[in-house]
Structures are given as structure tokens and as C-alpha cells.
Amino acid sequence: MNIETIATGDEIITGFVVDTNSAWLCQQLLDLGIQVKRRSTVGDKLEDIYRLISERSKIADVIIVNGGLGPTSDDNTTLAAARAAGVELERYEAWLNKITQYYAIQGRQMSETNIKQAMLPKGSEIIDNPIGTACGFELKINNAVCYFTPGVPSEFKLMVEQKILPELKQLTNSESTSVKRYFVFSVSESKLSEILDRQIWPKNIVLGYRVNFPTIEIKLISNNASEDDINDAEKLLLSFINPYLVAKNELDIPSQISKLTGAVPLQLFDNGTSGMLIEQFATAMPHITAKYFPLPGNADELLEYLKKETCRTIAVGPETQDGYSIAYWNGITGFVQTLKSTSQQPKQRKKMIAFAALDMVRRVLCGLSPFAPYEQLVRTAEISYRKTPNIR
């Protein structure tokens, strides 16, 4: 299925307004296994909008058009849609009544210009807008089913979530679409793209990327692909990302740690992440014990400090010139590493270290080396220790 988006408005073309609507929409579609084939942006001029809709509707299967449904003279999307479809505008009395009631409830006088928002291309299906005066509408133009939505983000998102996504989900289900998710840490998106985009992937399989600092989500999207092709694609993907892989399908390391530790007490000493680490555990492990007090910044000293503890402990020391020391201790075995972030932003550095602490614990509990091959964190110290039992 070939899906495209069109954003309208001089304010977007000039850069006065950032087009967050299109970015959000593309992510929502990707979650359904649909990768948008093309994003277009056009100003407010009627002729430009008309030409773009006419051109793209001959190529795409679905077009989602955003903006230009307001009551003012520069809102030309509805008229452009009618011209592209070769139909007249007609007044939809049901929507006009709704606009009238909208203003009456607020005790305001409706302007004559608002009548324009009830003038829709003949044959349109109204998309309800419970929080505004601009209805959306659905209309078949040439080869494409076109959805027209207002530019106000809250109104736009409501229409997408309540109307457009459910309809597209039905279409994708009929196409046997599947999405597998992989989350990687401490590797750049540019490096991933450089490696993965030059690979030859099986037919009907594409990759999607989503940065959610400090991790990157990679989606393996298949449309009518065979099971063998999906398995081959997954093997190929994992052969490159496995060193950086921290989770599949769902990113919830605290819950994973909670399941692995069971009822065993866990305490956290944090002197480095400004509370970011405990926030990660707050929902998954409400019983965790957290303490904030001065800790040694040196790796050797931090490990010595923890040796007196008898229960499982995670500790993050303060930032030093060598980075942050992160320690894991279970009463018998301990691991410490010092990691240095090259980020110039303190908040980003702390967020990276908080996640690295989570990942260290996850790796130990899963039987992996606690010292992952990070690329965006420099390891300046690494210590493994096991308490020697007393023999008499």
C-alpha cells in the first residue's frame, strides 16, 4: 500500500511553524507496519495545492492531507480537493448545525465565515471533530483515498486515532503486515543506516528507524512477505545489531530485571544521574530501596564501598574527569565500569549513564558480560571481583 502525506501552509514552508504533525503521523503509521512513501509540503496558494493533490492522487493509494480547513481566505485545501476530484462544493447541513451549536454552547456569535467550514466536496464523508469547528473529510480522488484533516494538532491527532488509523489498520491486516521491533543502545543512527541500508533485504521487507534517546528502535516491517523471508531478514539484521541490542518487541528493562530478580531485595545508590535511574524503576519495582548520598567516583573505591553490602545493589558514582563509575554487587560478585560520554549536555550524559546502569544489570542477570561494546560511551575502567570464601 502506497501511502503519502501532504502538509499545507505558508507557515510550514517558511519555517515559522515546525511540521510536527507529519512526523507524529509517520510514526503512528510505522507502528502499524506502514512506511510512508513520500511526504510533501505546499503553501497556501489554491493552484499549488490543487496541482499537488491531482498529481499525487494518481500515484498513491492513500493520501493524508493536513491543514487548510479553516474559515479564512488562505484556507484553500477544501476547494483544491473539490477541483482535483472534479466535483462541486456543497453545504453539509449536519456539520453547519454542529458549528452553530458549538458557538451557542460557548455563548459566542458564529461568524459568517464559519459557513465555509460546512462547504465540502460533493460525495465527501465527514470525519468528526468533537473539539473544533473544522470537520475532516474523506474523498476518493483519482486512484487515492484521501483524508483531509485540520492543522490544529489536538484536532488532527484525534481524527487520526479515532478514524484514520482504524481504517488503515483493517487494510494492513488484509495485506498480512507484521512488525518486529529491536532496540539498540550506544550506537549512532548514521552508523546503523550506513550498514543496514546497503544490505539486500528480502522482497516486501523494509526497515524503519525511530530515535528515542538514548535508544534507537529499528522496525522490521513485512508486507505479504513469506515466513522464510521474515526469518532471513531477522537473521541478517541481528548479525549487525546484536552487539548493541538491549531489547526486542518492547523496551522495558526495569520490568525484565524485576522478573529476573523476583522477590530478592534490590537497593540503589545514586550519586550521578539526578534521580533518572530510580525513575526507571519506579513503576516496575516500587519496593526498591533508593538512597542518595556521596559516593566515591573512582571505580576501585566504589567497589570497595559496596563490599560491605549484603544484598543486590546498583550504584552510580559522581561524574569525574574519567566519567561515571557504575557498579553492580550481589553480596558475592561485583562488577564496576567507568563510562565517559562525549555529549556536551549534562542531562544527556546522565540519561546515557542511567540507561547504561540498567543495561549492566540486565546483562549480568542474563548471563552476559557486564561490559557491553558501547560506541557512544568510552570505557575508562573495568573491574570484575568475586569474594573468596573463608576456608578453615
Side-chain angles (χ1 to χ4, degrees), residues 133-155:
T133 59
C135 69
F137 59 93
E138 180 182 339
L139 182 66
K140 182 71 179 291
I141 302 176
N142 294 319
N143 182 60
V145 174
C146 300
Y147 297 94
F148 294 85
T149 59
V152 179
S154 58
E155 300 175 20

Side-chain angles (χ1 to χ4, degrees), residues 32 56 73 79 106 112 135 167 202 313 323:
L32 291 183
R56 302 317 306 169
S73 59
L79 182 55
Q106 296 189 36
E112 287 293 317
C135 69
E167 289 193 0
T313 304

Side-chain angles (χ1 to χ4, degrees), residues 58-75:
K58 294 172 184 175
I59 300 169
D61 300 311
V62 175
I63 302 176
I64 302 172
V65 185
N66 185 230
L69 304 186
T72 58
S73 59
D74 61 343
D75 291 308

Side-chain angles (χ1 to χ4, degrees), residues 233-285:
E234 182 176 38
K235 288 178 183 177
L236 179 60
L237 177 62
L238 290 175
S239 70
F240 293 107
I241 69 169
N242 202 55
Y244 320 107
L245 186 67
V246 293
K248 293 182 183 179
N249 299 322
E250 183 180 7
L251 182 62
D252 191 353
I253 294 179
S255 292
Q256 185 181 359
I257 292 173
S258 180
K259 291 176 182 177
L260 291 170
T261 58
V264 176
L266 178 68
Q267 61 182 356
L268 188 154
F269 300 158
D270 186 7
N271 193 216
T273 72
S274 300
M276 291 184 186
L277 184 54
I278 187 60
E279 286 178 8
Q280 301 281 340
F281 282 101
T283 301
M285 303 181 72

Side-chain angles (χ1 to χ4, degrees), residues 364-386:
V364 171
L365 295 175
C366 290
L368 304 172
S369 166
F371 310 120
Y374 300 137
E375 293 202 353
Q376 293 180 315
L377 290 168
V378 179
R379 183 173 290 108
T380 59
E382 172 183 315
I383 304 170
S384 297
Y385 171 82
R386 183 174 180 83

Side-chain angles (χ1 to χ4, degrees), residues 47-68:
E47 188 67 18
D48 292 341
I49 302 172
Y50 157 70
R51 287 179 178 174
L52 183 59
I53 293 174
S54 296
E55 172 195 329
R56 302 317 306 169
S57 62
K58 294 172 184 175
I59 300 169
D61 300 311
V62 175
I63 302 176
I64 302 172
V65 185
N66 185 230

